[in-house]
Amino acid sequence: MAGVVSGRAILVAGAGSGMGRATALAAVREGGSLLLLGRDRAKLEAVAAEVRAIAPDRPAVVIAADAADAAGLEAALAPHAGAIDIAVNSVGTNIVRRAFGELTAESWAGMVDANLNAAFNLTRAVLPGMRGRGQGLIIHIASVAARRPDRSGAAYQATKAGVMALSHAVMEEERENGLRLTVILPGMTDTPLLDKRPAPVPPEARRKALQPEDVAAACLFVMALPPRAHVAEIMLQPSRS
């Protein structure tokens, strides 16, 4: 039986680890053809090998590029941008010295680049091709911190809230062109990002956290919907605190 994304070309940005990797593997199991984008080619190649093991007939395209570099990203995606049906933005980071009193102009700008500018650049790169075909889906993975104040840091919360606002705003502008944008707001998820917290996360807390596969399942749910259905945002949190 065909999968829910059979025949569709899916770009996963931030595919080298965590939520991006989990989403890529979930999508290929459901019939998708993958473009894996990230800065670390070695990690992308490792995920591409996992993709080949699942679907030897649908090898993944590896695109080593920094989503925060607008010109570099545009050049890297140019051969593919017109054929992308779905784009998943799983790019993002945080910093250890995240308290407002510890932020510098440089660390603030770095967070804006990595989280918000990357989301803007990715959206701008894939949008014209989707608009030209009259349909397309963009999923941004942000954070529950965009909706609920916490101790994740001012730069992280501000940039993730910006990603959420970007998603909603572009949706309002592009809905008549057949585009759909969804933002997913996960709570604490057991990914390498937890290793950047100022204090180590206790093993018990990690066991209660979401897993990358949970976020991937939310992405696949959105992908499986018919074009007439739009999900603006999904807040996904651990069931136990």
Side-chain angles (χ1 to χ4, degrees):
M1 189 173 74
V4 298
V5 291
S6 182
R8 288 195 268 181
I10 302 169
L11 170 70
V12 181
S17 64
M19 302 174 196
R21 170 185 169 273
T23 301
L25 297 180
V28 78
R29 291 188 187 102
E30 290 293 338
S33 297
L34 294 176
L35 296 90
L36 307 176
L37 187 144
R39 294 183 299 178
D40 190 323
R41 180 175 289 276
K43 288 183 178 179
L44 296 177
E45 294 288 359
V47 177
E50 294 183 272
V51 170
R52 286 194 299 274
I54 296 168
D57 60 322
R58 285 177 280 119
V61 175
V62 169
I63 304 172
D66 184 354
D69 174 4
L73 179 69
E74 184 175 357
L77 287 181
H80 315 284
I84 294 169
D85 299 300
I86 300 169
V88 180
N89 168 30
S90 184
V91 174
T93 193
N94 205 346
I95 51 179
V96 175
R97 298 179 65 82
R98 59 183 63 176
F100 188 78
E102 297 176 305
L103 288 175
T104 64
E106 290 75 20
S107 63
W108 172 269
M111 287 290 286
V112 171
D113 262 348
N115 292 345
L116 186 53
N117 287 345
F120 169 77
N121 294 337
L122 284 162
T123 302
R124 189 175 65 168
V126 302
L127 191 148
M130 292 180 175
R131 186 194 287 143
R133 294 195 310 278
Q135 64 178 358
L137 172 63
I138 301 172
I139 300 173
H140 289 290
I141 300 176
S143 169
V144 71
R147 283 279 180 208
R148 296 185 176 179
D150 59 21
R151 299 296 293 272
S152 58
Y156 184 78
Q157 290 181 54
T159 52
K160 290 299 185 178
V163 172
M164 179 180 68
L166 172 73
S167 181
H168 293 327
V170 176
M171 177 64 196
E172 290 307 306
E173 294 181 13
E174 297 292 337
R175 65 169 66 244
E176 298 305 322
N177 295 319
L179 271 73
R180 294 176 295 154
L181 286 92
T182 296
V183 61
I184 297 179
L185 311 174
M188 187 171 78
T189 307
D190 191 5
T191 71
L193 200 62
L194 290 188
D195 298 328
K196 293 189 176 184
R197 289 197 172 189
V201 178
E204 179 63 20
R206 281 186 179 265
R207 284 192 291 270
K208 292 179 181 179
L210 297 171
Q211 296 301 306
E213 292 74 17
D214 302 327
V215 180
C219 290
L220 264 291
F221 161 71
V222 175
M223 293 181 197
L225 292 171
R228 66 176 178 269
H230 170 234
V231 177
E233 64 182 61
I234 296 175
M235 185 179 291
L236 184 65
Q237 293 183 277
S239 58
R240 294 186 297 162
S241 59

